[in-house]
Structure formats: C-alpha cells, structure tokens
Amino acid sequence: MTAPSRPSSGTPSSTPAGTPYTTPTWPADVAARYRAAGWWEGLTFGAMLRDRAAAHPDRVAVVDHAGPGGTRRALTYADLDLRADRLAAGLAARGITAGDRVVVQLPNTAEFLELVFALFRLGALPVFALPAHRASEISYFCSFTGAVAYVIPGVHEGFDHRTLATTVLARSPALRHVFVTGGDPGPFESLADVPAVPVPLPERDPSETAFLQLSGGSTGVPKLIPRTHDDYVYSLRGSAEICRLDEHSVYLCALPAAHNFPLSSPGSLGTLYAGGRVVMCPRPAPDVAFPLIQDEGVTITGLVPPLALAWTAAATGTPYDLSSLDVLLVGGARLSDEAARRIRPALGCALQQVFGMAEGLVCYTRLDDDPETVVTTQGRPISPDDEIRIVDDEDRDLPTGATGHLLTRGPYTIRGYWNAPEHNARAFTEDGFYRTGDLVRLTPGGHLVVEGRAKDQINRGGEKIAAEEVENHLLAHPSVHDANVVAEPDPYLGERSCAYVIRRQGAEETGAAALKRFVRERGLAAYKVPDRIVFVDAFPTTGVGKISKKDLRAESAPA
Ligand code: OOB
C-alpha cells in the first residue's frame, strides 16, 4: 500500500518515539471551500460561549444535582462564562498552557462544562476519557499524549479515582497535576481551589485542534481524534438545526458527557450553541432520569438502544410526567426496527435515529421524515458536503442499494488520527476518505441503513470494545496460549463479548472467573472484561489458514 498524501498544513507534533509527524488535516483548497460554503464560520468554543453570555446572560445554561448533599445547582450563561475564565486563569497560573494535553475524566456535572470551556479558552486540549476507564486506559492516554494534568472526581459510583490517579501518576512522566472535583481531594489539589482572577488570553485560532476525542477502536490501543473548533462547531450547528433546538430546549445529558453523542449530537455543546439549557443526569436509569425530565421540563435527550428499551419498558405506569419530552435520539449501536416502533407509543415523543462516530460523520433521521423511514433507517448526513462511498473489498463503488463498506469524507470528518502514521495509512484512503468499518446500504430515498460491521470490534450496547486490546490482556496471562474475542448476540445489549481461549500446554488450569479477574486487575474498564470465556483446543481457520472470527462468531450465535 502506498503512503497517503500528507497535506502540508496540520498539527505539528511528534510521536512518542520522538519522530516528527504531522497529523493529516484538510488540504488548504478543501478548507477554503468549507469556509466559503459557510460550513466553517470561524467561531471558537471560547467565543461561542462569550457571545451567548453577552446575548442572554441570565438564562440558565447548565443544571446539575452535584452540590453539597446532592443539591441542585444552576449556572446562568454569565456564570458559566465567568467560571470558565476564572478556571482558565487558575490553570494558566499553574503553568498549563496552549497546546498542553489534559486528560478529563469527569462524571455528568457542571464542572465538566466549566473545565472544557476553560481549556478551550486556554488552548489546552482536553483528552476525553470516560468514567469507566481504569489504569490501563488512563495511563495510556496520559503517556501517549504527554498529558500534564488529569482531572477526576474523588469517588464516583463507589470507585476511588484518587487511588487510580496515584497509579497513573507513577506511570506518566509528563503528568504534573491531578485536580479533583467534589469533596476530599486526598493528596491532590481540589479543582475548586484553582479559579483565579481572569487574565486576558489570546483568542484561539478556529482552525486549530480544540480537543482529542477517543475512537471506539479496533486495534490494540485506542486512537485519538483531533477535532478543530471550526469542524466541531459546524457539527453542533448542523445537529442543533436538524433536532430543532432553540432557547426553549432543555437537553438531558444522560450518557457519559464526554462521549461524542451526548457532547455534540446535538448534546450539551449543541444545546449551548442554540442558547438552551443542559441538565446533567448522573445516571441514565429511568428512576434517576424520569424525575429530572418532569422537574426540569426536559424536551430532548439521547440514549443508546438498551437504555431506550429500558426507558420504554419503565414508561408504562410511571408516576412521573414525561410529557415535556419532544424528542428521543437513539444511536451508538443499531436500534432494531421493532424497538424503534415502540418508542413513540411508550414515551409519547418523536424518535430520531443517529448513526455517528467520534471521527466525524453523523447521520440523523429528520423530524419530518415519514414514520417508516424513522424506524427502519439510520438517517442521512448532516452536511450537503458529506461525501459517502459504499464500496466492495477492493474499494470499488457498489450500485445504489447494495451493502458494502462505508467510506466518508467531509467538513467535520477527520483526515487522520493524532500521531498514528501507520494506522492512518490503513484507516484512510489516499484521497482522504475515512474507512468507517461499518457495512451499510443506501435506500432509494438517500437514507443509510447499517447492516453490520467489518471492523474487529464488539459494540456492547453502544460501548465499543476493540477485540485486539482485550486479546492482548488475555495473552499476558501465563496460562493463555492464544485468545480471540468476538461479539455474540445479547437480548438486552445487542452484543456482548465472548473470548475463545486456548490454554498453554502444561500450564496450571485457570478458570474463566480467574481469567476475568486477571483482566480486570490489569486495570481495564469493566465493560471490556469478556462477558463469557470459552476454552477450546483450536480455532477454526479460513482456507488460507488464518483464524476465522466469522466461524467463531457463528459458534456463539444461537442455532
Ligand atoms: C458513536 O460514536 P463512536 O465513535 O462511539 O462509535 C462509532 C461507531 C460507528 O462506526 C458504528 O459502528 C457504531 O458506532 N454506531 C452505530 C450507530 N451509531 C453508531 N451502529 C449502528 N447504528 C447506529 N445508529 O457511537 C456516536 C457518535 C455520535 C452520535 C451517535 C453515536
């Protein structure tokens, strides 16, 4: 395979090994076209919040229930704007500066938004970790990005992130600061003590990278996705229009706030773009979310399919008034047509399906699509400039209606992962199309239907697991000779993970429970620990002798 063309502009950086490498970005002529078309409006996140705070300072921007003893807190746009400035000043005083990376692992609280806007204003790059990540993932994010700071909740869902931070700190030479929200910071600094008198900061360039998002991934380690102000603000604007957000919209952030879906589709940032109100929901379970919908007058939210099913079931006979809810977005994994049909009758709201990816492309069914399109398709792209190709294994375009590999390119889809030259050569075509790894077809009406996946990944109810990452952890066990992780059907999650393991000859017999514990203790997020482990003597192989994951999956499927 030949090397992809490397546009000259980009984020100059170096690989961890020190080799200079420029992360590919949009070629200059393409960028100029996106600006001329008005997709890129030259607005930074810092300026966006400033504008909104000037236009409607007293309107509530964000609500959470993370005050002392779980009390309600509401920040107006003016509050959020000022708090972001004060936090930026305090972080700057601690030496955090433009271009620095900061790993953010916060639950759904107002601090999450304060912090990311503070970092956007500083020009420091949030690296968006999920609360479920543990030492394995966080240490990797910190060391790979050379992060200087890591921000955590003290204790969240019974887990002490301060202990995790101690482990991470010992493994991450560049890490200088750990900031803790909510209560006792332990040996670290409380984020509440950081804010200082605002200082003037240079305005950021809208074309620069604003943050690093995580890929679902299909390789040994997660890849990092550089998103610019220009491209991401465009995806927010497009999403807000498609979901008809305005200043009366109240968005419930029920999924983990840092994930691309609740962040931008249209998510908390799209809601702030539109001047609406974000309600932070600590957990997405109906008993937590339903009272918030009632009390806060929530109009729109987004869920992964298993949660949409749980909400649909719980809505029958609920004492809570859900009548304010206008729209439920469902995405992250395939929603079955049958489940889709149940949503409006049960919840009394419109459904919008979302098929998106942190790398860029986001498709929505539209609110004026006919009901059959809404329940049977995953929508169409945000932008008229989103380019879609559906190809065979040799990258040849297929006739309309045929199922094939989805390739995409456009004004908010990255041209390369951050510092990943070898991977970029495989994950993008020479002319800059991203290989999504999804198998899709196009309906005559121009909507996409997701039919499957070619990437080596398990989509566990919207949580993505790279098979290779888990296999590597299993292989580290002395009694494991070889391991293959595949998806198997699950009635609730859609898919769960199953590890097929060949034991090492003569090694002590380790059972499934012990092997799961081993993987967990290596510091892997709980959702990546195999749901099932099956010991086998050999793996099925293809005609050329390669291990056939297809046949392994078939073994897992119900007869
Ligand atoms: C969202 O983003 P990621 O980066 O966690 O995962 C992207 C992948 C897609 O490539 C696809 O494999 C799968 O998740 N996916 C879907 C889907 N939505 C995402 N598969 C079938 N049907 C759907 N509706 O998951 C994400 C980002 C922004 C908005 C929504 C979801």
Side-chain angles (χ1 to χ4, degrees):
M1 186 182 280
T2 49
S5 55
R6 297 246 182 269
S8 54
S9 57
T11 314
S13 46
S14 58
T15 59
T19 340
Y21 173 68
T22 302
T23 296
T25 183
W26 295 270
D29 57 328
V30 176
R33 190 156 62 76
Y34 292 156
R35 279 192 198 96
W39 310 143
W40 293 356
E41 54 181 312
L43 183 66
T44 62
F45 286 106
M48 169 185 126
L49 179 59
R50 188 83 78 220
D51 285 359
R52 301 320 184 246
H56 39 75
D58 300 328
R59 206 183 280 162
V60 172
V62 55
V63 172
D64 74 9
H65 289 75
T71 47
R72 181 178 187 272
R73 304 184 294 185
L75 300 184
T76 63
Y77 276 85
D79 292 334
L80 183 60
D81 183 49
L82 178 63
R83 281 171 172 260
D85 277 344
R86 290 178 46 82
L87 191 51
L91 293 169
R94 281 157 185 76
I96 297 172
T97 171
D100 281 348
R101 273 79 63 198
V102 175
V103 174
V104 176
Q105 188 186 32
L106 288 182
N108 294 5
T109 56
E111 280 95 349
F112 172 81
L113 288 173
E114 278 178 51
L115 176 66
V116 297
F117 277 100
L119 295 171
F120 290 154
R121 285 204 170 138
L122 265 180
L125 276 57
V127 180
F128 285 126
L130 297 174
H133 287 141
R134 293 294 177 258
S136 171
E137 291 95 357
I138 302 288
S139 303
Y140 173 74
F141 303 147
C142 288
S143 57
F144 184 68
T145 67
V148 298
Y150 171 37
V151 189
I152 53 168
V155 176
H156 177 63
E157 301 284 343
F159 179 79
D160 193 335
H161 286 257
R162 296 163 303 188
T163 312
L164 169 58
T166 305
T167 309
V168 169
L169 206 53
R171 295 183 191 170
S172 316
L175 196 59
R176 296 196 306 266
H177 305 275
V178 175
F179 300 112
V180 184
T181 65
D184 177 8
F188 307 114
E189 187 174 7
S190 171
L191 191 70
D193 293 337
V194 174
V197 177
V199 291
L201 291 165
E203 190 44 61
R204 306 313 312 167
D205 177 344
S207 69
E208 77 187 11
T209 299
F211 59 88
L212 298 175
Q213 185 59 273
L214 304 182
S215 78
S218 55
T219 58
V221 286
K223 297 290 175 289
L224 295 164
I225 297 168
R227 302 291 302 257
T228 66
H229 298 266
D230 267 334
D231 91 75
Y232 212 63
V233 169
Y234 173 47
S235 81
L236 302 181
R237 188 174 86 228
S239 298
E241 275 166 19
I242 289 166
C243 302
R244 299 193 190 152
L245 292 190
D246 62 22
E247 71 274 21
H248 305 296
S249 300
V250 181
Y251 179 83
L252 187 77
C253 182
L255 296 171
H259 186 271
N260 199 59
F261 179 14
L263 192 62
S264 66
S265 303
S268 54
L269 294 181
T271 302
L272 296 179
Y273 183 93
R277 177 182 300 192
V278 177
V279 175
M280 288 293 187
C281 184
R283 268 178 295 122
D287 61 327
V288 179
F290 286 7
L292 282 176
I293 294 176
Q294 172 184 284
D295 298 346
E296 301 289 345
V298 168
T299 62
I300 177 166
T301 187
L303 296 175
V304 289
L307 285 169
L309 283 176
W311 281 34
T312 306
T316 320
T318 179
Y320 295 103
D321 178 4
L322 307 179
S323 60
S324 61
L325 195 64
D326 294 326
V327 175
L328 175 64
L329 295 138
V330 182
R334 181 67 148 92
L335 179 68
S336 72
D337 297 2
E338 304 84 85
R341 280 182 216 286
R342 275 187 248 149
I343 285 171
R344 186 189 270 278
L347 290 161
C349 64
L351 163 69
Q352 275 189 285
Q353 295 212 41
V354 200
F355 163 47
M357 52 208 70
E359 286 81 357
L361 181 71
V362 183
C363 302
Y364 294 92
T365 58
R366 303 306 201 257
L367 287 162
D368 56 4
D369 279 340
D370 66 86
E372 209 43 31
T373 299
V374 172
V375 296
T376 58
T377 80
Q378 282 63 59
R380 56 191 168 85
I382 293 177
S383 176
D385 254 345
D386 279 321
E387 297 171 72
I388 297 288
R389 287 181 63 201
I390 298 173
V391 301
D392 67 11
D393 291 345
E394 269 75 50
D395 280 358
R396 287 177 302 224
D397 290 291
L398 290 169
T400 306
T403 298
H405 303 276
L406 171 65
L407 312 184
T408 186
R409 189 168 75 166
Y412 59 96
T413 297
I414 56 162
R415 293 297 185 109
Y417 291 99
W418 196 73
N419 275 342
E422 288 89 21
H423 188 67
N424 284 340
R426 288 192 300 274
F428 295 83
T429 64
E430 280 190 44
D431 54 354
F433 277 84
Y434 166 56
R435 299 181 188 277
T436 66
D438 293 311
L439 297 173
V440 305
R441 69 180 163 84
L442 203 56
T443 67
H447 286 74
L448 288 170
V449 178
V450 182
E451 295 286 8
R453 193 175 56 235
K455 54 193 166 191
D456 197 5
Q457 188 185 74
I458 295 96
N459 189 335
R460 193 177 185 276
E463 290 184 307
K464 316 301 182 319
I465 305 168
E468 189 185 333
E469 185 181 7
V470 183
E471 288 159 5
N472 287 342
H473 283 279
L474 288 165
L475 286 168
H477 193 284
S479 75
V480 172
H481 169 70
D482 204 354
N484 270 290
V485 178
V486 296
E488 61 180 18
D490 180 89
Y492 175 63
L493 293 167
E495 294 177 10
R496 60 180 178 168
S497 65
C498 180
Y500 287 87
V501 170
I502 301 178
R503 285 200 177 96
R504 190 180 295 284
Q505 271 189 347
E508 201 183 309
E509 251 192 38
T510 309
L515 209 47
K516 286 188 197 182
R517 196 174 339 111
F518 172 79
V519 172
R520 192 173 294 115
E521 282 169 3
R522 284 175 62 83
L524 206 61
Y527 68 86
K528 296 182 191 168
V529 176
D531 291 297
R532 204 161 73 92
I533 297 185
V534 179
F535 294 97
V536 292
D537 295 328
F539 296 132
T541 49
T542 64
V544 288
K546 282 197 340 189
I547 291 162
S548 169
K549 286 213 168 179
K550 196 162 145 248
D551 289 330
L552 280 176
R553 274 190 289 273
E555 280 184 29
S556 282

